[in-house]
Amino acid sequence: MSLSTLTAACPETAIVLGSGLGGVADLLGVEAEVSYSEVPGWGASSVPGHAGRLVLTRVAEHPILIAQGRRHLYEGLTAREITAGIRLMHEWGVRRVLLTNAAGAIAPHFGVGDLMLITDQLNLQGTSPLLGGPHFHDMSQLYDEGWRQSLLRASGEVGMNLHQGVYAGLLGPQYETPAEIRMLRVMGADAVGMSTVAEAIQARALGMKVAGISMLTNWAAGLKPQTLDHGEVVAVGQQSSQALATLLKAALSC
Ligand code: HPA
């Protein structure tokens, strides 16, 4: 399968799937696929739980591009490198991107396995994909209000409790300390992860509509008697992929 098969379908919507959420692509249906290694300029992820392929799917006849797996700053890459896929998809005509991730739950009314619609973000990664320009982009409406409303409507239609909250993106690669989580809570974070914020900034700067959904795979450090483990994060993501696929199908079918 070649890249041109995917781009020829002219998908205007893309979904980026985070840790353990790759199964969502199979649940939505794979019409065509190509490995990131065959996409010039994309680059593969080295993290377990990230498949590294581009998938074409259709929801109610609409072509949708899925990036199954992403690259992270903690792999030793720059913010520009990890957002290369966003710029490529924009070149191909994608105009809105839904970013998903696995995240630790901070807000006390959340539960493990629940989904959170991202209303806004804290970029605590100390870098930006826009370093070197273009400068001074407005980020006051980073996550698109209209798209958020349609995701909320869809969650109601499928009888799902979709939380809303602020996502804090940290550098990683280590999980946070309990003191860092207490700090994040004071700062207004409802969930914490190590991805998404740079992609959101890049997509918005290109004029794309951005939405984000966090799969709450664990309680953030110190909130429960536990230690954090990437294997468990991926396992919870996999178990909850069906719920995410159901929501996306309902939200993207119109
Ligand atoms: N912290 C940071 N990243 C994460 C977490 C977490 O608790 N869970 C999944 N990704």
Side-chain angles (χ1 to χ4, degrees), residues 16-145:
V16 178
L17 294 176
S19 294
L21 303 176
V24 170
D26 297 299
L27 292 166
L28 291 177
V30 177
E31 182 173 312
E33 62 172 278
V34 57
S35 161
Y36 287 165
S37 58
E38 292 165 60
V39 183
W42 193 290
S45 173
S46 59
V47 183
H50 291 261
R53 62 176 181 161
L54 269 177
V55 166
L56 178 68
T57 188
R58 269 177 215 274
V59 176
E61 307 295 312
H62 304 297
I64 291 168
L65 198 57
I66 301 179
Q68 194 180 18
R70 58 154 61 89
R71 303 209 295 167
H72 302 81
L73 289 174
Y74 63 68
E75 296 171 58
L77 303 164
T78 66
R80 267 200 82 72
E81 284 169 322
I82 63 164
T83 51
I86 300 290
R87 290 187 296 280
L88 280 173
M89 291 195 288
H90 181 258
E91 270 174 38
W92 302 333
V94 171
R95 291 296 172 260
R96 57 176 198 165
V97 60
L98 194 155
L99 305 167
T100 71
N101 56 51
I106 297 178
H109 60 288
F110 290 174
V112 168
D114 291 355
L115 296 174
M116 183 192 87
L117 183 62
I118 302 177
T119 55
D120 205 346
Q121 70 181 32
L122 296 168
N123 174 15
L124 300 173
Q125 298 192 316
T127 187
S128 164
L130 309 183
L131 284 184
H135 297 140
F136 311 129
H137 262 283
D138 178 72
M139 291 286 149
S140 48
Q141 289 172 41
L142 181 45
Y143 290 88
D144 187 75
E145 172 72 29

Side-chain angles (χ1 to χ4, degrees), residues 140-186:
S140 48
Q141 289 172 41
L142 181 45
Y143 290 88
D144 187 75
E145 172 72 29
W147 202 1
R148 259 167 40 211
Q149 291 308 326
S150 59
L151 283 156
L152 283 170
R153 242 189 334 268
S155 71
E157 280 161 24
V158 298
M160 179 183 295
N161 180 19
L162 180 60
H163 300 294
Q164 298 189 72
V166 172
Y167 174 87
L170 274 65
L171 180 61
Q174 71 287 347
Y175 288 116
E176 301 71 36
T177 63
E180 286 165 343
I181 295 301
R182 288 194 297 274
M183 173 190 74
L184 291 174
R185 200 166 159 183
V186 172

Side-chain angles (χ1 to χ4, degrees), residues 7 12 140 184-185 209-210 223 232:
T7 54
E12 290 189 8
S140 48
L184 291 174
R185 200 166 159 183
K209 283 188 182 175
V210 179
L223 298 181
E232 281 174 32

